[in-house]
Amino acid sequence: MKMHFVFICSCGTQVIENNRDPTGISSNKISVYGFRMFFTATAKDLSAKKCVPCNTKDLRAMTEETASKLIPKVDGWNLANEGGTLKLKRSWKVKSFTKGLEMFQLISDIAEAEGHHPDLHLVGWNNVTVEIWTHAVGGLTENDFILAAKINTLDLHHLLRKKVSA
């Protein structure tokens, strides 16, 4: 769905529309005298969005440059390039093995609601790592950043190990 907002100022007419570009990133596009400028979403904007189905015809893997612009919007997550496949990764230390499983359940509830499923790893008894990428396109899409932002909204403090102070 496109939403159009028209602003008229003394310098001319500007049209702002909410669009999804071929890289799979929703953006606000401003057209002024034939020039286009894009504004990326904030973390709050990302967590408010809904993932699009991965079989969407226009969904394409984004470039590393585009991913680098979005990574600051998802605190704690890192970009990883594994054999040419860009992924989002984040790790946590949990209090116990069962707390790791509880964390997986919280993440899986969000993933299932979004129809976008990360790879979940519990290594050792307390090391949780989550990897997110869009398998269908072999790389990152906006869906991955949406899911990471939603995971960031979870209250995980009761599951995580407290840092030992020196």
Side-chain angles (χ1 to χ4, degrees):
M1 178 176 94
K2 285 188 180 182
M3 296 179 356
H4 295 279
F5 304 93
V6 178
F7 295 94
I8 300 175
C9 65
S10 61
C11 61
T13 302
Q14 299 180 4
V15 177
I16 301 176
E17 58 187 43
N18 187 338
N19 218 358
R20 189 169 289 275
D21 73 15
T23 63
I25 298 188
S26 286
S27 61
N28 289 325
K29 178 175 74 175
I30 298 178
S31 300
V32 182
Y33 304 114
F35 295 98
R36 293 185 193 153
M37 299 185 316
F38 293 88
F39 297 91
T40 57
T42 65
K44 186 176 179 180
D45 292 339
L46 286 170
S47 65
K49 290 185 176 188
K50 179 89 175 124
C51 291
V52 299
C54 292
N55 62 357
T56 301
K57 184 180 174 181
D58 295 330
L59 198 62
R60 303 274 185 272
M62 65 177 58
T63 65
E64 192 164 356
E65 179 183 352
T66 302
S68 295
K69 290 177 184 175
L70 281 176
I71 196 69
K73 310 292 184 205
V74 286
D75 289 339
W77 292 85
N78 298 301
L79 282 178
N81 188 332
E82 295 182 359
T85 301
L86 287 178
K87 300 178 181 183
L88 295 178
K89 275 190 170 186
R90 184 164 182 190
S91 296
W92 297 264
K93 284 210 179 279
V94 291
K95 291 179 181 179
S96 67
F97 180 79
T98 56
K99 295 294 184 192
L101 296 177
E102 284 180 47
M103 186 174 180
F104 281 3
Q105 186 61 56
L106 291 172
I107 292 171
S108 69
D109 289 343
I110 290 174
E112 197 60 27
E114 291 300 316
H116 195 57
H117 304 96
D119 287 355
L120 306 173
H121 306 275
L122 179 57
V123 180
W125 59 274
N126 72 336
N127 299 299
V128 169
T129 299
V130 177
E131 296 179 323
I132 308 172
W133 79 100
T134 303
H135 298 77
V137 300
L140 291 174
T141 65
E142 185 183 37
N143 283 349
D144 305 304
F145 288 89
I146 291 170
L147 185 58
K150 288 180 185 254
I151 290 170
N152 279 356
T153 67
L154 291 172
D155 180 11
L156 302 175
H157 289 66
H158 65 288
L159 304 173
L160 304 178
R161 291 184 68 181
K162 294 186 185 342
K163 292 186 179 187
V164 179
S165 54

